[in-house]
Coordinates of all heavy atoms in Angstrom, one line a residue:
M15 N 83.5 109.6 -87.7 CA 83.9 110.0 -86.4 C 84.6 111.4 -86.4 O 85.5 111.5 -87.2 CB 84.7 109.0 -85.7 CG 85.1 109.3 -84.3 SD 85.9 108.0 -83.4 CE 84.8 106.6 -83.6
I16 N 84.2 112.3 -85.6 CA 84.8 113.6 -85.6 C 85.9 113.6 -84.6 O 85.8 113.2 -83.4 CB 83.8 114.7 -85.2 CG1 82.6 114.6 -86.2 CG2 84.4 116.0 -85.1 CD1 81.4 115.4 -85.7
E17 N 87.1 114.1 -85.0 CA 88.3 114.2 -84.1 C 88.3 115.6 -83.5 O 88.2 116.6 -84.2 CB 89.6 113.9 -84.9 CG 89.7 112.5 -85.3 CD 91.1 112.2 -85.9 OE1 91.9 113.1 -86.1 OE2 91.3 111.0 -86.1
I18 N 88.4 115.6 -82.2 CA 88.5 116.8 -81.4 C 89.9 116.9 -80.8 O 90.3 116.1 -80.1 CB 87.5 116.9 -80.3 CG1 86.1 116.7 -80.8 CG2 87.6 118.2 -79.5 CD1 85.6 117.8 -81.7
E19 N 90.7 117.9 -81.2 CA 92.1 118.1 -80.9 C 92.2 118.8 -79.5 O 91.6 119.9 -79.3 CB 92.8 118.8 -82.0 CG 94.3 118.8 -81.8 CD 95.0 119.4 -83.1 OE1 94.8 118.8 -84.2 OE2 95.6 120.5 -82.9
I20 N 93.0 118.3 -78.7 CA 93.3 119.0 -77.4 C 94.9 119.2 -77.4 O 95.6 118.5 -78.0 CB 92.9 118.2 -76.2 CG1 93.6 116.8 -76.1 CG2 91.4 118.0 -76.2 CD1 93.3 116.1 -74.8
K21 N 95.2 120.2 -76.6 CA 96.7 120.6 -76.6 C 97.3 120.3 -75.2 O 98.4 120.5 -75.0 CB 96.8 122.1 -76.8 CG 96.4 122.5 -78.3 CD 96.6 123.9 -78.5 CE 96.3 124.4 -79.9 NZ 95.7 123.6 -80.9
T22 N 96.4 119.7 -74.3 CA 96.9 119.3 -73.0 C 96.9 117.8 -72.8 O 96.4 117.1 -73.7 CB 96.0 120.0 -71.9 OG1 94.6 119.6 -72.2 CG2 96.1 121.5 -72.0
E23 N 97.3 117.3 -71.7 CA 97.4 115.9 -71.5 C 96.0 115.3 -71.4 O 95.7 114.2 -71.8 CB 98.1 115.6 -70.2 CG 98.2 114.1 -69.8 CD 98.9 113.9 -68.5 OE1 99.5 114.8 -67.9 OE2 98.8 112.7 -68.0
Y24 N 95.0 116.1 -70.8 CA 93.6 115.6 -70.7 C 92.7 116.8 -70.8 O 93.2 118.0 -70.7 CB 93.4 114.8 -69.4 CG 93.6 115.6 -68.2 CD1 92.6 116.3 -67.6 CD2 94.9 115.6 -67.5 CE1 92.8 117.1 -66.5 CE2 95.1 116.3 -66.4 CZ 94.0 117.1 -65.9 OH 94.2 117.8 -64.7
I25 N 91.4 116.5 -70.9 CA 90.4 117.6 -70.9 C 89.2 117.0 -70.1 O 88.9 115.8 -70.2 CB 90.0 118.0 -72.3 CG1 89.0 119.2 -72.3 CG2 89.4 116.9 -73.1 CD1 88.8 119.9 -73.6
A26 N 88.6 117.9 -69.3 CA 87.4 117.4 -68.6 C 86.2 117.3 -69.5 O 86.1 118.0 -70.5 CB 87.1 118.4 -67.5
L27 N 85.4 116.3 -69.2 CA 84.2 116.1 -70.1 C 83.4 117.3 -70.3 O 83.0 117.6 -71.4 CB 83.3 114.9 -69.5 CG 82.1 114.6 -70.3 CD1 82.5 114.2 -71.7 CD2 81.4 113.4 -69.6
G28 N 83.2 118.1 -69.3 CA 82.4 119.4 -69.4 C 83.0 120.3 -70.4 O 82.3 120.9 -71.3
Q29 N 84.3 120.5 -70.4 CA 85.0 121.3 -71.3 C 85.0 120.7 -72.7 O 84.9 121.5 -73.7 CB 86.5 121.5 -70.9 CG 86.7 122.3 -69.6 CD 88.1 122.3 -69.1 OE1 88.8 121.2 -69.1 NE2 88.6 123.5 -68.7
F30 N 85.1 119.4 -72.8 CA 85.1 118.7 -74.1 C 83.8 119.0 -74.8 O 83.8 119.2 -76.0 CB 85.3 117.2 -73.9 CG 85.3 116.4 -75.1 CD1 86.4 116.3 -75.9 CD2 84.1 115.9 -75.5 CE1 86.3 115.6 -77.1 CE2 84.0 115.1 -76.7 CZ 85.1 115.0 -77.5
L31 N 82.7 118.9 -74.1 CA 81.4 119.1 -74.7 C 81.3 120.5 -75.3 O 80.7 120.7 -76.4 CB 80.3 118.9 -73.6 CG 80.1 117.5 -73.1 CD1 79.1 117.4 -72.0 CD2 79.7 116.5 -74.2
K32 N 81.9 121.5 -74.7 CA 81.9 122.8 -75.2 C 82.8 122.9 -76.5 O 82.4 123.4 -77.5 CB 82.4 123.8 -74.2 CG 82.3 125.2 -74.6 CD 82.7 126.2 -73.5 CE 82.8 127.6 -74.0 NZ 83.4 128.5 -73.0
L33 N 83.9 122.3 -76.4 CA 84.9 122.3 -77.5 C 84.2 121.5 -78.7 O 84.5 121.9 -79.9 CB 86.2 121.6 -77.1 CG 87.4 121.7 -78.0 CD1 87.8 123.1 -78.2 CD2 88.5 120.9 -77.4
A34 N 83.5 120.5 -78.5 CA 82.8 119.7 -79.5 C 81.5 120.4 -80.0 O 80.8 119.8 -80.9 CB 82.6 118.3 -79.1
D35 N 81.2 121.5 -79.5 CA 80.0 122.3 -79.9 C 78.7 121.5 -79.5 O 77.6 121.7 -80.2 CB 80.0 122.6 -81.4 CG 80.9 123.7 -81.7 OD1 81.2 124.6 -80.8 OD2 81.5 123.7 -82.8
C36 N 78.7 120.7 -78.5 CA 77.5 120.0 -78.0 C 76.7 121.0 -77.1 O 75.5 120.9 -77.0 CB 77.8 118.8 -77.2 SG 78.6 117.5 -78.2
I37 N 77.4 121.9 -76.4 CA 76.9 122.9 -75.6 C 77.6 124.2 -75.9 O 78.7 124.2 -76.4 CB 77.0 122.6 -74.1 CG1 78.4 122.4 -73.7 CG2 76.1 121.4 -73.7 CD1 78.7 122.2 -72.2
S38 N 76.9 125.3 -75.6 CA 77.5 126.6 -75.9 C 78.3 127.3 -74.8 O 79.2 128.1 -75.0 CB 76.5 127.6 -76.5 OG 75.4 127.7 -75.6
T39 N 77.9 126.9 -73.5 CA 78.7 127.4 -72.4 C 78.9 126.3 -71.4 O 78.2 125.3 -71.3 CB 77.8 128.5 -71.6 OG1 76.7 127.9 -71.0 CG2 77.4 129.6 -72.5
G40 N 80.0 126.5 -70.6 CA 80.3 125.5 -69.6 C 79.3 125.3 -68.5 O 79.1 124.2 -68.0
G41 N 78.5 126.3 -68.3 CA 77.4 126.3 -67.3 C 76.3 125.3 -67.7 O 75.5 124.8 -66.8
Q42 N 76.2 125.0 -69.0 CA 75.2 124.0 -69.4 C 75.6 122.6 -69.2 O 74.7 121.7 -69.4 CB 74.9 124.3 -70.9 CG 74.3 125.6 -71.3 CD 74.2 125.8 -72.8 OE1 75.1 125.5 -73.5 NE2 73.1 126.3 -73.2
A43 N 76.8 122.3 -68.9 CA 77.3 121.0 -68.8 C 76.5 120.1 -67.8 O 76.2 118.9 -68.2 CB 78.8 121.0 -68.4
K44 N 76.3 120.6 -66.6 CA 75.6 119.8 -65.6 C 74.2 119.3 -66.1 O 73.9 118.1 -66.0 CB 75.5 120.6 -64.3 CG 74.9 119.7 -63.2 CD 74.9 120.5 -61.9 CE 74.4 119.7 -60.7 NZ 74.4 120.5 -59.5
S45 N 73.4 120.2 -66.6 CA 72.1 119.7 -67.0 C 72.1 118.9 -68.3 O 71.4 117.9 -68.5 CB 71.1 120.9 -67.2 OG 71.7 121.8 -68.2
F46 N 73.1 119.2 -69.2 CA 73.2 118.4 -70.4 C 73.6 117.0 -70.1 O 73.1 116.0 -70.6 CB 74.3 119.1 -71.3 CG 74.5 118.4 -72.6 CD1 73.6 118.7 -73.7 CD2 75.5 117.5 -72.8 CE1 73.8 118.1 -74.9 CE2 75.6 116.8 -74.1 CZ 74.8 117.2 -75.1
L47 N 74.5 116.8 -69.1 CA 74.9 115.5 -68.7 C 73.8 114.7 -68.0 O 73.7 113.5 -68.1 CB 76.1 115.6 -67.7 CG 77.5 115.9 -68.4 CD1 78.5 116.4 -67.4 CD2 78.0 114.8 -69.2
Q48 N 72.9 115.4 -67.4 CA 71.7 114.7 -66.8 C 70.7 114.3 -67.8 O 70.0 113.3 -67.6 CB 71.1 115.6 -65.7 CG 71.9 115.9 -64.5 CD 71.3 116.9 -63.6 OE1 70.5 117.7 -63.9 NE2 71.8 116.9 -62.3
E49 N 70.6 115.0 -68.9 CA 69.5 114.8 -69.9 C 70.0 114.0 -71.1 O 69.1 113.5 -71.8 CB 69.0 116.2 -70.4 CG 68.4 117.1 -69.3 CD 68.3 118.5 -69.7 OE1 68.6 118.8 -70.9 OE2 67.8 119.3 -68.9
T50 N 71.3 113.8 -71.3 CA 71.8 113.2 -72.5 C 72.6 112.0 -72.2 O 73.4 112.0 -71.2 CB 72.7 114.2 -73.2 OG1 72.0 115.5 -73.4 CG2 73.1 113.7 -74.6
T51 N 72.4 110.9 -72.9 CA 73.2 109.7 -72.8 C 74.6 109.9 -73.4 O 74.7 110.3 -74.6 CB 72.5 108.5 -73.4 OG1 71.3 108.3 -72.8 CG2 73.4 107.3 -73.2
I52 N 75.6 109.8 -72.6 CA 77.0 109.9 -73.0 C 77.8 108.7 -72.6 O 77.7 108.2 -71.5 CB 77.7 111.2 -72.4 CG1 76.9 112.4 -72.9 CG2 79.1 111.3 -72.8 CD1 77.3 113.7 -72.2
R53 N 78.6 108.2 -73.5 CA 79.4 107.0 -73.3 C 80.9 107.4 -73.6 O 81.2 108.0 -74.6 CB 79.1 105.8 -74.1 CG 77.7 105.3 -73.8 CD 77.4 104.0 -74.6 NE 76.1 103.5 -74.4 CZ 75.7 102.7 -73.4 NH1 76.7 102.2 -72.6 NH2 74.5 102.3 -73.3
V54 N 81.8 107.0 -72.7 CA 83.2 107.2 -72.9 C 83.8 105.9 -72.9 O 83.7 105.1 -72.0 CB 83.8 108.1 -71.7 CG1 85.3 108.2 -71.9 CG2 83.2 109.5 -71.6
N55 N 84.4 105.6 -74.1 CA 85.0 104.2 -74.3 C 84.0 103.1 -74.0 O 84.3 102.1 -73.4 CB 86.3 104.0 -73.6 CG 87.3 105.0 -74.0 OD1 87.4 105.4 -75.1 ND2 88.1 105.5 -73.0
G56 N 82.7 103.3 -74.4 CA 81.6 102.3 -74.2 C 81.0 102.3 -72.9 O 80.0 101.6 -72.7
E57 N 81.5 103.1 -71.9 CA 80.9 103.1 -70.5 C 80.1 104.4 -70.3 O 80.5 105.5 -70.7 CB 82.0 103.1 -69.5 CG 82.9 101.9 -69.6 CD 82.3 100.6 -69.1 OE1 81.4 100.7 -68.1 OE2 82.6 99.5 -69.6
L58 N 78.9 104.2 -69.7 CA 78.0 105.4 -69.4 C 78.8 106.3 -68.5 O 79.5 105.9 -67.6 CB 76.7 105.0 -68.8 CG 75.7 104.4 -69.7 CD1 74.5 103.8 -68.8 CD2 75.2 105.4 -70.7
E59 N 78.7 107.6 -68.8 CA 79.4 108.6 -68.0 C 78.5 109.9 -67.9 O 77.9 110.3 -68.8 CB 80.7 109.0 -68.8 CG 81.6 109.9 -68.0 CD 82.0 109.4 -66.6 OE1 82.8 108.4 -66.6 OE2 81.6 109.9 -65.6
N60 N 78.5 110.4 -66.6 CA 77.7 111.6 -66.4 C 78.5 112.6 -65.5 O 77.9 113.5 -65.0 CB 76.3 111.3 -65.8 CG 76.4 110.6 -64.4 OD1 77.5 110.4 -63.9 ND2 75.3 110.3 -63.8
R61 N 79.8 112.4 -65.3 CA 80.6 113.3 -64.5 C 81.3 114.3 -65.4 O 82.1 114.0 -66.2 CB 81.6 112.5 -63.7 CG 81.1 111.5 -62.7 CD 82.1 110.7 -62.1 NE 82.7 109.8 -63.2 CZ 83.9 109.2 -63.1 NH1 84.6 109.3 -62.0 NH2 84.3 108.5 -64.1
R62 N 81.0 115.6 -65.2 CA 81.6 116.6 -66.0 C 83.1 116.7 -65.8 O 83.8 117.2 -66.7 CB 80.8 117.9 -65.9 CG 81.1 118.6 -64.6 CD 80.4 119.9 -64.5 NE 80.5 120.4 -63.1 CZ 79.8 121.4 -62.6 NH1 79.0 122.0 -63.3 NH2 80.0 121.7 -61.4
G63 N 83.6 116.3 -64.7 CA 85.0 116.3 -64.4 C 85.8 115.1 -64.9 O 87.0 115.1 -64.7
K64 N 85.1 114.2 -65.5 CA 85.8 113.0 -66.0 C 86.9 113.4 -67.0 O 86.7 114.2 -67.9 CB 84.7 112.1 -66.8 CG 85.3 111.0 -67.6 CD 85.9 109.9 -66.8 CE 86.4 108.8 -67.8 NZ 87.2 107.8 -67.1
K65 N 88.1 112.9 -66.7 CA 89.2 113.3 -67.6 C 89.3 112.4 -68.8 O 89.3 111.2 -68.8 CB 90.5 113.1 -66.8 CG 90.7 114.0 -65.6 CD 92.0 113.8 -64.8 CE 92.0 114.8 -63.7 NZ 93.2 114.5 -62.8
L66 N 89.3 113.1 -70.0 CA 89.4 112.5 -71.2 C 90.8 112.6 -71.7 O 91.4 113.7 -71.7 CB 88.4 113.1 -72.3 CG 87.0 113.1 -71.8 CD1 86.2 113.9 -72.9 CD2 86.4 111.7 -71.6
R67 N 91.4 111.5 -72.3 CA 92.8 111.5 -72.7 C 92.8 111.1 -74.2 O 91.8 110.7 -74.8 CB 93.6 110.6 -71.9 CG 93.6 111.0 -70.4 CD 94.4 110.1 -69.5 NE 94.2 110.3 -68.1 CZ 94.9 111.3 -67.4 NH1 95.7 112.1 -68.0 NH2 94.6 111.5 -66.1
N68 N 94.0 111.2 -74.7 CA 94.3 110.9 -76.1 C 93.7 109.5 -76.5 O 93.8 108.5 -75.8 CB 95.8 110.8 -76.4 CG 96.1 110.8 -77.9 OD1 95.5 111.4 -78.7 ND2 97.2 110.0 -78.2
N69 N 93.0 109.5 -77.6 CA 92.3 108.3 -78.2 C 91.1 107.8 -77.5 O 90.5 106.8 -77.9 CB 93.3 107.1 -78.3 CG 94.4 107.4 -79.3 OD1 94.1 107.9 -80.4 ND2 95.6 107.0 -79.0
D70 N 90.6 108.6 -76.5 CA 89.3 108.2 -75.9 C 88.2 108.5 -76.9 O 88.3 109.4 -77.7 CB 89.0 109.1 -74.6 CG 89.7 108.6 -73.4 OD1 90.3 107.4 -73.5 OD2 89.7 109.3 -72.4
I71 N 87.2 107.6 -76.9 CA 86.0 107.8 -77.8 C 84.8 108.2 -76.9 O 84.5 107.6 -75.9 CB 85.7 106.4 -78.5 CG1 86.9 105.9 -79.2 CG2 84.5 106.6 -79.4 CD1 87.4 106.7 -80.4
V72 N 84.2 109.3 -77.3 CA 83.1 109.9 -76.6 C 81.9 109.9 -77.5 O 81.9 110.5 -78.6 CB 83.4 111.4 -76.2 CG1 82.2 111.9 -75.4 CG2 84.7 111.4 -75.4
E73 N 80.8 109.1 -77.1 CA 79.6 109.0 -77.9 C 78.5 109.9 -77.2 O 78.2 109.6 -76.1 CB 79.1 107.6 -78.0 CG 80.1 106.7 -78.7 CD 79.8 105.2 -78.5 OE1 78.7 104.9 -79.0 OE2 80.5 104.5 -77.9
V74 N 78.0 110.9 -77.9 CA 77.0 111.8 -77.4 C 75.7 111.6 -78.2 O 75.7 111.9 -79.4 CB 77.5 113.3 -77.4 CG1 76.5 114.2 -76.8 CG2 78.9 113.4 -76.7
D75 N 74.7 111.2 -77.5 CA 73.4 111.0 -78.3 C 73.0 112.3 -78.9 O 73.0 113.4 -78.3 CB 72.3 110.6 -77.3 CG 72.2 109.1 -77.1 OD1 73.1 108.4 -77.7 OD2 71.3 108.6 -76.4
G76 N 72.6 112.2 -80.2 CA 72.2 113.3 -81.0 C 73.3 114.1 -81.6 O 73.1 115.0 -82.4
F77 N 74.6 113.8 -81.3 CA 75.7 114.6 -81.8 C 76.7 113.6 -82.5 O 77.5 114.1 -83.3 CB 76.4 115.4 -80.7 CG 75.6 116.5 -80.2 CD1 74.8 116.3 -79.1 CD2 75.6 117.7 -80.8 CE1 74.0 117.3 -78.6 CE2 74.8 118.8 -80.3 CZ 74.0 118.6 -79.2
G78 N 76.7 112.4 -82.2 CA 77.6 111.4 -82.8 C 78.8 111.1 -82.0 O 79.0 111.7 -80.9
P79 N 79.7 110.2 -82.6 CA 80.9 109.9 -81.9 C 82.0 110.9 -82.1 O 82.1 111.4 -83.2 CB 81.2 108.5 -82.5 CG 80.7 108.6 -83.8 CD 79.4 109.4 -83.7
F80 N 82.8 111.1 -81.1 CA 84.0 111.9 -81.2 C 85.2 111.1 -80.7 O 85.1 110.3 -79.9 CB 83.9 113.2 -80.3 CG 82.7 114.0 -80.6 CD1 81.5 113.8 -79.9 CD2 82.8 115.0 -81.6 CE1 80.4 114.6 -80.2 CE2 81.7 115.8 -81.9 CZ 80.5 115.6 -81.2
K81 N 86.4 111.5 -81.2 CA 87.6 110.9 -80.8 C 88.5 112.0 -80.3 O 88.7 113.1 -80.9 CB 88.3 110.2 -81.9 CG 89.6 109.5 -81.5 CD 90.2 108.7 -82.7 CE 91.5 108.0 -82.2 NZ 92.0 107.2 -83.3
V82 N 89.1 111.9 -79.1 CA 90.0 112.8 -78.5 C 91.4 112.6 -79.1 O 91.9 111.5 -79.1 CB 90.1 112.7 -76.9 CG1 91.0 113.7 -76.4 CG2 88.7 112.8 -76.3
V83 N 92.0 113.7 -79.6 CA 93.3 113.6 -80.3 C 94.2 114.6 -79.6 O 93.9 115.8 -79.7 CB 93.2 113.8 -81.8 CG1 94.6 113.7 -82.4 CG2 92.3 112.8 -82.4
Q84 N 95.3 114.2 -79.1 CA 96.2 115.1 -78.4 C 97.2 115.6 -79.5 O 97.8 114.9 -80.3 CB 97.0 114.4 -77.3 CG 97.8 115.3 -76.5 CD 98.5 114.6 -75.3 OE1 98.5 113.4 -75.3 NE2 99.0 115.3 -74.4
N85 N 97.4 116.9 -79.5 CA 98.3 117.6 -80.4 C 99.7 117.6 -79.8 O 99.9 118.0 -78.7 CB 97.8 119.0 -80.7 CG 98.7 119.7 -81.7 OD1 99.6 119.2 -82.2 ND2 98.3 120.9 -82.0

């Protein structure tokens, strides 16, 4: 599992995907979320504004599981 460190209380899913190198620009988030299966803590998620917090687990098909770690 790859840990992705954030410096704020939370990060939006769209921003997280960019930070995790799943997408290269924030503008790609909407279409990526429509085309890719993403689970947050085991629940299907497709809202780019979904707030991710410390210890959340994000599973992105084709990229693997990530863990949000707050610095």
